[in-house]
Amino acid sequence: MKELEKKKRITSFKSIVNPKVMDVLEEKIFQEIVVNKKYKDKTYSAKQLAIDLGTNTRYISTVINTRFHANYTTFVNKYRIEEAMKMLKDPRYQDLNVEDIAIMVGFANRQSFYTAFERMNTLTPREYKQKHIQY
């Protein structure tokens, strides 16, 4: 029942956010998180993003849910994982261990990296690295 109430609140909140405001925030969120690579900062939160964009966390959450079809953590982790995948395949980073790469892309710890990575790829980071390593 709690989940249903939460969905109703989010749906009703979405309907009062002006679509033009959503468009602007969508672009600003993408710019801040992806282009400016804030995803690499493990301490960068939805709250800080809201402050940086001069809005509130409910607007941030609504835009990310509606436009990016994810919650804040999943949205940020997607870009962290994509960067980690590039690094795991890149010969320049072959001397780094998986944990070093996890920290470089913004994960706070090994376990959260492994969990998010496997969820997105169905392989562990180590398995992915071994599969894609180029000698």
Side-chain angles (χ1 to χ4, degrees):
M1 192 66 170
K2 224 180 214 183
E3 189 65 32
L4 183 60
E5 289 170 14
K6 184 178 177 184
K7 282 185 181 187
K8 282 182 183 177
R9 272 197 333 263
I10 290 171
T11 303
S12 66
F13 192 73
K14 270 196 296 192
S15 66
I16 63 169
V17 178
N18 181 318
K20 288 182 182 182
V21 171
M22 273 201 173
D23 291 344
V24 170
L25 280 176
E26 177 183 7
E27 192 173 312
K28 287 181 175 183
I29 290 167
F30 187 82
Q31 178 72 34
E32 201 64 26
I33 298 295
V34 182
V35 177
N36 296 342
K37 298 190 177 198
K38 292 290 176 114
Y39 64 85
K40 287 186 170 189
D41 181 350
K42 68 180 179 226
T43 64
Y44 197 73
S45 65
K47 184 177 181 178
Q48 186 59 53
L49 177 61
I51 291 167
D52 291 349
L53 299 183
T55 189
N56 63 59
T57 55
R58 288 195 75 187
Y59 273 57
I60 295 294
S61 179
T62 299
V63 172
I64 291 174
N65 279 289
T66 305
R67 300 293 175 90
F68 298 105
H69 310 289
N71 63 34
Y72 177 81
T73 302
T74 303
F75 175 69
V76 171
N77 282 350
K78 174 183 184 274
Y79 295 101
R80 290 173 174 164
I81 298 294
E82 287 174 0
E83 176 115 357
M85 289 166 62
K86 289 177 194 167
M87 292 174 76
L88 288 165
K89 291 193 290 190
D90 191 325
R92 294 176 295 175
Y93 299 105
Q94 292 306 309
D95 291 339
L96 296 177
N97 65 39
V98 173
E99 289 77 14
D100 292 336
I101 290 173
I103 290 165
M104 290 173 73
V105 300
F107 282 93
N109 61 63
R110 178 187 185 278
Q111 187 57 46
S112 60
F113 175 60
Y114 266 73
T115 301
F117 195 98
E118 275 190 275
R119 191 174 293 136
M120 191 167 159
N121 291 294
T122 67
L123 294 171
T124 68
R126 263 193 187 53
E127 290 166 343
Y128 183 87
K129 183 177 182 177
Q130 289 170 345
K131 184 177 179 180
H132 292 91
I133 199 163
Q134 297 177 359
Y135 295 100

